[in-house]
Amino acid sequence: MNSAADTLALLRSWRAAGWLRALDLALAEFLHGLEPEAPPSLLLAAALLAQLEGRGHSCLPLQGLAQEAALLLAWPPEAQEALQTALAAIPVDAAAAQRAWGATTLLSTAPAAAQGADATSPLVLQAGRLYLRRYWRYEADIAAQLRQRVQAAPLAVEVPEPAQAHALLAALFDLPAEASAEPDWQAVACALALRGRLTLITGGPGTGKTYTAARLLVLLQALHRGPQPLRVALAAPTGKAAARLRQSMVAALQLLVARAAGPAPVPPVLQALPLVDWTAALPPARTLHALLGTRPGTRRFVHDAALPLDVDLLFVDEASMVHLEMMAALLQALPAGARLVLLGDRDQLASVEAGAVMGELCAGAGPGAYTADTAAWVQAHSGQVLAPMAVAGHGGPSPGGLAQQTVVLQRSRRFAGPIGQLALAVNRGEGTGALALLRTQTALPGGGELALVPAADSAAIARLAVQGRPAAGAGAGVEAAGYAACLQALAQRPAEPAAFEPWARGLLAAFDRCRVLCALRSGPWGVAGLNAAIEAALQQQGVLKKGGEWYEGRPVMVTRNEAALGIFNGDIGLVLAAPGAAKDTPLRAWFLDGDTLRSVATSRLADVETAFAMTVHKSQGSEFAHVLLVLPPEDTPVLTRELVYTGITRARSAFTLVAPEPARLVTAAARLTRRLSGLAEAVRGG
């Protein structure tokens, strides 16, 4: 590869073969246009960097790239030889890159990238990683904001008396007078939140993340010394997740209200708290886009450093779905004195877009990551004793500051049965054990909570999705229904307009009893193929009448934020005729926002897709009584441990794995998702 022309010709051939995206090639051509004398190897590296960004990575690491390229790019075998030959031209480390690329104006090195003439270069090199400037800036901004929040001590007026905090936490969590051998990690999380402006609470489904958040809200409001209550905001990446966050927190607060008003004696400190007022005053939860305020036609938000959010305490749920760009915007818009509480499952799938922020921030967390100072704070403010092996310095690695503000909740109160056992096995990489558990449950008389169905084609999957599988363990309240039960309710449409809203709410709730989740978007085993097959099966049964693109009973998922319409990416609704509408009245899509039913004319919905089947990625933040997870017969890099774990943990009562080749489960459980990034190192100050 002797010239830029040769390099661009090679990249065009890769694009023609389908190995590169048009965007990847366009970046290399754009850089060549900016600087025709730019090193050919930099053009090649830039195209590969863009390809990796499209796969969720934020940078291209120079060291070890040749050895890892096959895994990172997942190109077909016929591409590997050409790729390896080309990679020989790319520098192998930062020093070599400086020698090869140092003269070009297209590239700057950190920290010079942040200032002076280098501040406009499209590429940045830091610690042997090549970045698109935008993603380098996101990582740098996030790291700086998080370090500042971790290092900043609470204001003097906010430092609680240890005895007061201890008494409140003992009442809120009903802690025993004597500390137990295993600390109450929910109480530990609240104690840690008292000493900083950033708290990360991670754990699987049912471990009590929002339960903990509700009690943290009460704790912080009770200890707040200002004349007005703390200004609180609730947010999540999707509308569904936001609604569930508020519902969960309201339910947790209502438990406290009922306890304080109940006949059993409660601590005076709890009786004195205005719990009813805080429950009523809990704000509506919003998507992050709605919270920050979108600017149509731009990537910018209304709220930023110049116009920060009017908030003292912000809870963000499903933080594993928050990508780099959104996290950077959120932190920029958060006032320096506000507290941020991130809730999420670090083991779930990362965002579809670049970054795996929650996973990286929680990577060093765990019972063994706390310093002696942290343990002393926790004991003084909550009475919880961290065992010696849970304190750094007892044979473990030196922890970072972020780990001192992170708690991993480990005991699931929802998944104590087979679904929880399956999720745990997959999360540990024990694919063979997970498969054995599925087969054992499938063989139970009458079926179990779990089932393995080796469907042969999309038509068989569609029949299963429509009819469901026989009620498994009915005595235990487990249901494994399909879509037909929901759509049959369409025939029970009330004649009275006043009865429409309760009926529509019930219909939307019934639709959430079942969902088909896919690993792929296209093909017969993907979202597109299965949505078409399910529609055909429902038409065959006569429960759905499809006369065109829009029809009554069509479930739709919004794929683009439409703030003016009050709908956001990930919102799911059902298409129904308006109450009392004549036959020729245009259809509307109805959405449930908490307890509020709202609708949008279908003529205004340009960016939606049918949602009988959806990707596992899009299902995050939701839960369904019965989940059918479909794995394709061929192995593909998207089949990962995180994808299967996320699919399993969307199920509340019944889980069905649909796989023509059950061995795909074993393969997926062994394949960990890896996102290339420098965020964790940057947060540590590297």
Side-chain angles (χ1 to χ4, degrees):
M1 200 180 304
N2 299 319
S3 68
D6 292 338
T7 299
L8 292 175
L10 177 66
L11 294 176
R12 290 183 186 115
S13 71
W14 288 359
R15 167 60 192 145
W19 304 338
L20 286 179
R21 303 174 301 168
L23 184 63
D24 308 333
L25 173 61
L27 175 63
E29 292 177 331
F30 171 72
L31 295 176
H32 178 62
L34 287 178
E35 187 177 316
E37 300 305 316
S41 61
L42 184 59
L43 303 181
L44 171 65
L48 295 178
L49 170 60
Q51 169 76 186
L52 287 175
E53 185 274 324
R55 295 174 181 268
H57 306 284
S58 63
C59 62
L60 180 145
L62 300 180
Q63 190 167 6
L65 177 61
Q67 291 74 28
E68 293 193 276
L71 178 64
L72 295 173
L73 296 173
W75 285 4
E78 59 269 24
Q80 296 303 325
E81 183 176 350
L83 177 62
Q84 289 300 319
T85 300
L87 287 175
I90 295 180
V92 296
D93 56 30
Q98 190 63 41
R99 291 192 297 270
W101 300 338
T104 178
T105 60
L106 298 177
L107 177 73
S108 56
T109 57
Q115 54 196 358
D118 285 343
T120 57
S121 63
L123 301 173
V124 175
L125 182 68
Q126 179 171 15
R129 302 183 189 93
L130 183 66
Y131 288 88
L132 294 171
R133 166 172 292 278
R134 186 156 60 95
Y135 289 97
W136 173 79
R137 172 52 64 192
Y138 293 152
E139 283 194 2
D141 287 350
I142 291 171
Q145 289 274 1
L146 293 181
R147 286 200 305 270
Q148 183 179 20
R149 289 187 172 278
V150 168
Q151 295 165 2
L155 297 174
V157 296
E158 293 181 350
V159 178
E161 290 293 331
Q164 184 185 12
H166 188 172
L168 278 166
L169 283 172
L172 290 170
F173 289 98
D174 198 18
L175 299 175
E178 298 294 328
S180 58
E182 176 68 16
D184 186 312
W185 290 104
Q186 295 176 335
V188 170
C190 292
L192 291 179
L194 293 176
R195 72 170 185 171
R197 305 201 178 281
L198 174 69
T199 307
L200 285 81
I201 303 175
T202 184
T207 52
K209 296 184 290 293
T210 51
Y211 178 93
T212 304
R215 276 150 179 76
L216 176 57
L217 169 62
V218 172
L219 176 70
L220 292 174
Q221 290 282 25
L223 293 172
H224 181 59
R225 300 176 188 175
Q228 299 295 326
L230 292 170
R231 298 165 298 172
V232 180
L234 310 177
T238 68
K240 189 80 169 181
R244 285 192 61 212
L245 169 62
R246 191 179 191 281
Q247 289 166 1
S248 298
M249 290 193 70
V250 166
L253 288 170
Q254 287 174 341
L255 286 175
L256 281 175
V257 172
R259 182 180 163 206
V266 296
V269 68
L270 187 57
Q271 288 181 325
L273 299 180
L275 296 170
V276 176
D277 294 346
W278 294 344
T279 303
L282 195 66
R286 291 181 284 175
T287 64
L288 290 171
H289 283 88
L291 176 74
L292 296 177
T294 55
R295 293 180 183 270
T298 76
R299 303 181 77 100
R300 299 177 59 195
F301 293 97
V302 172
H303 291 286
D304 54 18
L307 184 63
L309 294 164
D310 189 23
V311 63
D312 300 310
L313 174 60
L314 172 62
F315 293 96
V316 177
D317 198 12
E318 298 293 345
S320 63
M321 299 169 64
V322 182
H323 53 81
L324 271 175
E325 182 177 6
M326 178 57 76
M327 185 62 76
L330 178 68
L331 290 171
Q332 185 183 58
L334 198 62
R339 278 187 167 95
L340 173 63
V341 181
L342 297 177
L343 312 167
D345 186 346
R346 63 178 178 180
D347 296 320
Q348 276 189 202
L349 280 167
S351 165
V352 175
E353 299 184 53
V357 179
M358 189 69 173
E360 285 195 82
L361 299 185
C362 295
Y370 299 117
T371 64
D373 285 345
T374 299
W377 175 281
V378 168
Q379 185 167 1
H381 291 78
S382 70
Q384 301 304 292
V385 177
L386 301 183
M389 71 283 295
V391 179
H394 291 264
S398 177
L402 191 59
Q404 308 311 300
Q405 293 303 118
T406 305
V407 170
V408 182
L409 304 180
Q410 302 172 47
R411 187 162 70 91
S412 177
R413 291 160 174 81
R414 188 194 312 166
F415 285 154
I419 295 177
Q421 294 169 21
L422 182 66
L424 184 60
V426 168
N427 205 24
R428 289 174 173 171
E430 299 168 357
T432 303
L435 189 56
L437 178 60
L438 278 167
R439 285 174 168 151
T440 300
Q441 282 271 305
T442 305
L444 290 176
E449 290 183 21
L450 310 175
L452 174 64
V453 178
D457 52 32
S458 58
I461 299 172
R463 286 193 296 272
L464 181 64
V466 170
Q467 299 165 6
R469 58 184 173 88
V478 175
E479 53 183 329
Y483 290 128
C486 163
L487 293 181
Q488 282 167 358
L490 283 171
Q492 301 168 5
R493 180 187 182 91
E496 294 297 324
F500 176 85
E501 286 203 7
W503 171 76
R505 283 196 188 92
L507 203 57
L508 283 160
F511 177 65
D512 275 352
R513 288 171 58 195
C514 177
R515 197 58 43 90
V516 176
L517 304 183
C518 304
L520 306 177
R521 285 200 56 81
S522 58
W525 300 90
V527 170
L530 288 177
N531 270 318
I534 293 168
E535 282 182 330
L538 287 168
Q539 282 182 285
Q540 208 169 39
Q541 285 205 0
V543 295
L544 183 152
K545 296 179 181 178
K546 182 180 178 183
E549 178 188 6
W550 296 103
Y551 55 87
E552 194 163 34
R554 180 193 178 192
V556 291
M557 178 171 59
V558 178
T559 59
R560 182 179 177 182
N561 294 317
E562 295 284 359
L565 300 179
I567 55 175
F568 297 90
N569 188 8
D571 286 357
I572 293 178
L574 279 176
V575 176
L576 302 169
K583 288 186 177 180
D584 58 349
T585 301
L587 297 170
R588 302 182 69 83
W590 297 81
F591 300 88
L592 200 56
D593 185 2
D595 294 327
T596 303
L597 189 67
R598 51 192 172 81
S599 68
V600 178
T602 56
S603 59
R604 303 189 68 186
L605 293 174
D607 298 289
V608 296
E609 58 187 37
T610 303
F612 289 114
M614 59 196 295
T615 62
V616 176
H617 270 286
K618 289 289 189 179
S619 74
Q620 292 184 91
S622 301
E623 69 174 26
F624 314 98
H626 180 206
V627 164
L628 296 94
L629 175 62
V630 179
L631 302 185
E634 304 84 12
D635 189 23
T636 169
V638 304
L639 294 182
T640 63
R641 181 182 305 176
E642 293 84 355
L643 180 135
V644 176
Y645 169 81
T646 303
I648 294 168
T649 53
R650 299 310 91 202
R652 184 171 61 247
S653 303
F655 174 80
T656 302
L657 180 69
V658 185
E661 297 291 341
R664 292 289 163 262
L665 174 64
V666 180
T667 305
R671 182 184 286 135
L672 274 168
T673 300
R674 183 183 174 203
R675 289 283 176 94
L676 300 175
S677 166
L679 179 60
E681 182 177 315
V683 170
R684 292 194 299 267

